[in-house]
Structure formats: C-alpha cells, structure tokens
Amino acid sequence: MPNTSRFSLEGRVALVTGASRGIGSATAEALAEQGAQVVLSSRKQADLDDEAARINTRFPDRAVGIAAHAGRPEDLEKLVDEVIKRGGIDTTKLGVTGGSGGGVLTNWTITQTDRFAAAVSQRSISDWSAFWYTADFTLFQPTWFRKAPWEDPQDFAARSPITHVAKVTTPLMLINGDADYRTPPANGGEMMFRALKYRKIPTVMVRFPGETHELSRSGAPRHRIERLQHIIGWMDKWLLGRSELYADAK
C-alpha cells in the first residue's frame, strides 16, 4: 500500500458521521493527520467532546464534535456550515464518511445533496427491506419500523438510499467485510456499487476477506491499516485531484 502521508488535506473538511466514544476515532484521527478539519457527529455531545479533545492533543484545532440527530442529514449540513464560518475552508472540497449507522447516513446524504466532493460509506445499508430479512440484528424492528416490509413496503422504500440512487453525483467508496452479518454487503455496498457503476458515477468497492462488522475496531491489523489508507486515498483523489492508490479511478 502506498504511503499517503505526503499529501495534505489542508483546508478540506471531512465530516465523520456516527462518531461517538471510540467509534470513528481512527478514521477521524487519520484524516486530521493529513491536515483535514474533521467534524465529528453523533447524538452524544460529551462523547464527541472527549474524542475531539483527544485528536486535538496530537493535531491542534483539527477536530470539532457537534451533536446532531443521527437520522437527519440536514442537521449534518448545518454542522459543516458552522465550521465553514470559521474560515480557511474550501467549500468545494468537502468529504463525508461513516460506518454502520454512519454508513447508512453517508449513503442517504449523497442522495439528498451534491455538496460533498467525496464520500466513503463503510459497512452500510442501502435497502432497509433486504436488511430486515437478512441481518443478524433484529432489535430495531419495534422502534425503527412500525410494520414488516410486506405490510408497508412504501415506508421501507422511501427510507432506503437505493431508492434515491438516481440523484447521486458524489464519487463514492464502499468498504465491506465479507463476513459482516450485521450489515450484509449484498444489502448495502454491493447495491450502491452496482447502481452507481450502471450510472457511470465514480465508485469503487473495497472488500476485506474474513472481516466482520468489527473491521475497524478488531479486524486484522493489516486490514485496519489498509482501510485507513483506502479512505485517505479516496479523499486524496477527489479532494486534491491526486492519489497514488486511485490515480485511475472512475
């Protein structure tokens, strides 16, 4: 894997969705190390403050954590606007990434806005109906959806990113673990990948053999390093226009 540390994301904003205590930290820290202004977002402000403080200890003034409702991309855009007001940010060079719930939100966000120049969706969901049938996690059923997919297919479709994929213009990287049964790749990354390839929107899919939903936290060390290198490489490509790893991506 190439060394991406010689590239600088100075003046770029990377929005890390679904970040909380220990979640999204490695991604945020890697992006901050490249010079990006990192905006951490989740519901718990106390956790975000802790994570931002830890990152800023190593990379001063590179991270800010602002709580937002996890299901409303418009709230996330307000966070980015708030950081832009501070100055020094190129508003044409904004990136967004997230994993699990943050991956879902990344997929959804790029179907609702074209303001992000690059996106990385990790262990995500694109079709809620397919997820309902195949995921190993069923605790969501009483609270996330009022009915089963066959009882209210319109509700599941309306809230699924794949339904709105025709509106996506943002170059998208999808990161999946082959053994992820929490957000099965077939119902998330693979759907977005195939649809965007069909539409000729720049997209790549990175699959890690043997890795589960815990790839970023307890995956094989070499895979965790490679994951970060792929994310930085994709941001380099679409925010800076140069990348050893994705020089020919399209």
Side-chain angles (χ1 to χ4, degrees):
M1 300 292 291
N3 179 1
T4 58
S5 62
R6 63 189 182 85
F7 294 150
S8 172
L9 291 170
E10 186 78 32
R12 278 66 176 175
V13 168
L15 173 61
V16 181
T17 65
S20 59
R21 192 178 301 277
I23 300 176
S25 299
T27 303
E29 191 164 346
L31 291 166
E33 185 176 12
Q34 302 304 309
Q37 173 68 58
V38 177
V39 184
L40 300 167
S41 170
S42 75
R43 294 188 181 188
K44 298 181 180 179
Q45 187 64 51
D47 287 354
L48 293 171
D49 290 341
D50 289 346
E51 290 300 323
R54 188 183 60 78
I55 293 171
N56 287 329
T57 297
R58 291 192 62 198
F59 311 107
D61 301 321
R62 285 297 176 190
V64 59
I66 310 176
H69 191 284
R72 294 198 293 258
E74 61 270 22
D75 282 1
L76 301 181
E77 292 200 63
K78 291 177 183 177
L79 305 187
V80 176
D81 290 337
E82 183 62 32
V83 174
I84 289 173
K85 290 178 184 177
R86 303 180 183 187
I89 299 300
D90 185 341
T91 57
T92 68
K93 305 297 183 182
L94 306 178
V96 59
T97 184
S100 195
V104 182
L105 192 51
T106 297
N107 287 345
W108 180 263
T109 296
I110 63 173
T111 70
Q112 305 301 307
T113 179
D114 61 0
R115 75 180 303 183
F116 294 100
V120 180
S121 177
Q122 307 169 61
R123 55 192 193 282
S124 67
I125 300 163
S126 60
D127 185 331
W128 281 112
S129 179
F131 172 81
W132 192 96
Y133 287 110
T134 61
D136 68 355
F137 181 65
T138 60
L139 296 177
F140 67 89
Q141 293 179 9
T143 54
W144 293 6
F145 294 95
R146 293 182 294 274
K147 299 180 179 180
W150 65 88
E151 296 172 328
D152 192 355
Q154 293 81 10
D155 184 38
F156 281 80
R159 295 159 62 180
S160 295
I162 197 65
T163 302
H164 312 281
V165 73
K167 296 187 287 186
V168 175
T169 59
T170 303
L172 176 65
M173 167 181 281
L174 298 140
I175 296 179
N176 300 304
D178 278 349
D180 186 346
Y181 302 110
R182 183 62 45 83
T183 54
N187 306 327
E190 289 183 7
M191 283 187 169
M192 294 294 287
F193 177 76
R194 179 60 65 88
L196 293 180
K197 280 295 185 183
Y198 176 82
R199 293 192 52 234
K200 295 181 171 55
I201 302 298
T203 184
V204 297
M205 180 166 58
V206 182
R207 298 187 62 140
F208 288 91
E211 294 295 355
T212 70
H213 198 66
E214 298 299 307
L215 165 63
S216 63
R217 296 182 282 272
S218 60
R222 66 185 179 90
H223 286 163
R224 281 184 277 167
I225 292 171
E226 289 175 2
R227 181 186 72 91
L228 294 174
Q229 289 175 321
H230 279 292
I231 293 170
I232 293 170
W234 193 248
M235 294 295 181
D236 281 343
K237 168 68 176 178
W238 298 105
L239 302 190
L240 300 178
R242 58 186 183 185
S243 173
E244 292 178 1
L245 188 56
Y246 290 103
D248 300 321
K250 60 182 180 179

